[in-house]
Amino acid sequence: MMSDLSYRFLNADDFADLHAMVSHWSVVRQLGRWPWPPQEAFTRGRCKPYDGNGFIWAVCENDRVIGTMAVTNGELGYMFAPEVQGRGIATNVAHDAITHAFAEHDWPVLKASVWEDNPPSAAVLRKCGFVHWQTHYTRSPTRLPTVVHQYRLPRATWDRLRTTAQ
């Protein structure tokens, strides 16, 4: 059963929830830029509204941040606390974020990447209409070179999917 969720921009009061989330290796190992072990200063630096091209939402359940969903520079990214994974939240929030991104920005395509060992995240992307287009090795602060799958979702595909779903 899907609970009521809310989205808002991150702020300094989100530090405890966000830092607890990134204190799980199972979360950070799937991210491209978060350090391990977790660093309080890094997390505090992320607890503010995003000021670049796009947005980062705090995904809240009962006033607690349970994840983040972002589209920055045309790239979708997200993370969720381990205890809420597997409930369909990422897919539902991703749909809302994609709709918002295409409505607010003139990006012709959205992109997303997942590590090879994260099939649940790849499934979220496919459910949203993303299609695999490239695979290569890359590095992150937490990983040796590893295989990453890149996906993309053209605006025209999203519009077609939204029209047929209605």
Side-chain angles (χ1 to χ4, degrees):
M1 181 170 153
M2 187 66 55
S3 64
D4 289 328
L5 299 175
S6 62
Y7 317 139
R8 60 172 172 71
F9 297 123
L10 289 164
N11 63 63
D13 293 338
D14 296 326
F15 171 77
D17 290 340
L18 192 61
H19 199 65
M21 193 180 335
V22 299
S23 293
H24 291 276
W25 171 241
S26 64
V27 172
V28 175
R29 71 184 298 273
Q30 301 301 348
L31 305 177
R33 295 179 183 94
W34 283 79
W36 186 262
Q39 300 170 6
E40 287 188 12
F42 188 89
T43 305
R44 286 189 196 287
R46 296 293 178 106
C47 291
K48 61 184 179 185
Y50 180 71
D51 64 357
N53 186 19
F55 59 91
I56 300 174
W57 290 340
V59 179
C60 303
E61 182 177 56
N62 300 322
D63 296 323
R64 179 179 152 244
V65 177
I66 60 164
T68 64
M69 181 67 64
V71 181
T72 58
N73 298 313
E75 186 164 352
L76 179 74
Y78 44 86
M79 68 173 158
F80 286 90
E83 64 271 17
V84 302
Q85 293 175 9
R87 293 174 35 198
I89 293 172
T91 302
N92 288 326
V93 179
H95 274 100
D96 293 344
I98 294 163
T99 298
H100 181 76
F102 280 137
E104 298 295 321
H105 299 276
D106 62 355
W107 295 314
V109 63
L110 293 181
K111 298 176 183 176
S113 300
V114 297
W115 303 121
E116 182 176 49
D117 61 357
N118 193 356
S121 188
V124 168
L125 296 176
R126 287 190 304 274
K127 288 176 194 174
C128 291
F130 281 81
V131 176
H132 176 261
W133 69 285
Q134 168 173 301
T135 297
H136 60 87
Y137 283 94
T138 194
R139 288 182 168 267
S140 81
T142 59
R143 291 180 174 245
L144 298 172
T146 191
V147 175
V148 65
H149 298 291
Q150 294 188 310
Y151 288 76
R152 60 182 169 188
L153 175 62
R155 178 186 294 268
T157 300
W158 180 250
D159 290 343
R160 187 181 75 252
L161 291 171
R162 300 296 290 168
T163 301
T164 57
Q166 295 175 356

